Amino acid sequence: DRKREETEGAMLGDYLTALLIAVLGYVYPAYLCFKALEKHKRKPEALRGWCIYWTVMALYTAGTQVSDRFVFWLPMYSEAKVAFVVYLWHPRTQGALYVYDAFVAPFLAKHETAIDRHIDETRVSVGDVVARRARDVVEFAREKFAAALTALPQGAQRGQGGGFGARSATEAAAMAYARGPKQN
């Protein structure tokens, strides 16, 4: 930890790096993207560069989530991250176009079928889990609602309220709902 503290003292530091990357990597390019969208409303092909930028930036962000854990100690690592983000969008370098054409597009094209298959499998798995959990939540809520209704004081005399022990038709309907569908 001491070595990391010494290394960070000579560099930008985590907070300043995060701020610079947020502004230079997201906020400013988002504003430039907005301007391009407004200027080229009828020419979607003019927006290809920004689609490429955001694709590369998404991969960069995912990559740094992993790499930050292992190479934070490299000298000038924080500065290199800021410089790379600027390189990606700067009009003179158009780094995102180079990174996309040289690395991202060929990799994704080669593995597109497998990636799509994994996405579809994940969608199905997640959908199954969500549906199962939703049923569990509904059943839990139904049980708690029924328990709360049965704990209510019985204000109605026997023979009143439709024989349900409920004070009103609304309460009787709520109790019937809480019991769930009749099992045959």
Side-chain angles (χ1 to χ4, degrees), residues 60-87:
Y60 160 81
T61 302
T64 58
Q65 293 296 312
V66 175
S67 67
D68 283 356
R69 308 289 187 258
F70 300 105
V71 295
F72 65 88
W73 52 267
L74 285 173
M76 305 294 287
Y77 176 65
S78 296
E79 289 83 350
K81 288 181 1 179
V82 172
F84 182 72
V85 165
V86 172
Y87 163 78

Side-chain angles (χ1 to χ4, degrees), residues 28-61:
Y28 184 64
Y31 178 70
L32 294 176
C33 189
F34 159 77
K35 288 178 72 159
L37 285 167
E38 293 305 308
K39 183 179 178 183
H40 301 291
K41 285 183 179 183
R42 300 191 192 275
K43 291 191 267 179
E45 68 278 356
L47 301 175
R48 181 177 185 271
W50 284 112
C51 288
I52 288 173
Y53 171 81
W54 291 113
T55 300
V56 172
M57 192 62 184
L59 295 172
Y60 160 81
T61 302

Side-chain angles (χ1 to χ4, degrees), residues 52 55-56 59 96 98-110:
I52 288 173
T55 300
V56 172
L59 295 172
Y98 172 75
V99 170
Y100 182 83
D101 290 338
F103 303 105
V104 176
F107 178 84
L108 292 177
K110 180 178 178 181

Side-chain angles (χ1 to χ4, degrees), residues 13 19 22 25 27 43 86 122 124 126-127 131 165 169-170:
L19 176 64
V27 176
K43 291 191 267 179
V86 172
T122 302
V124 168
V126 169
T170 304

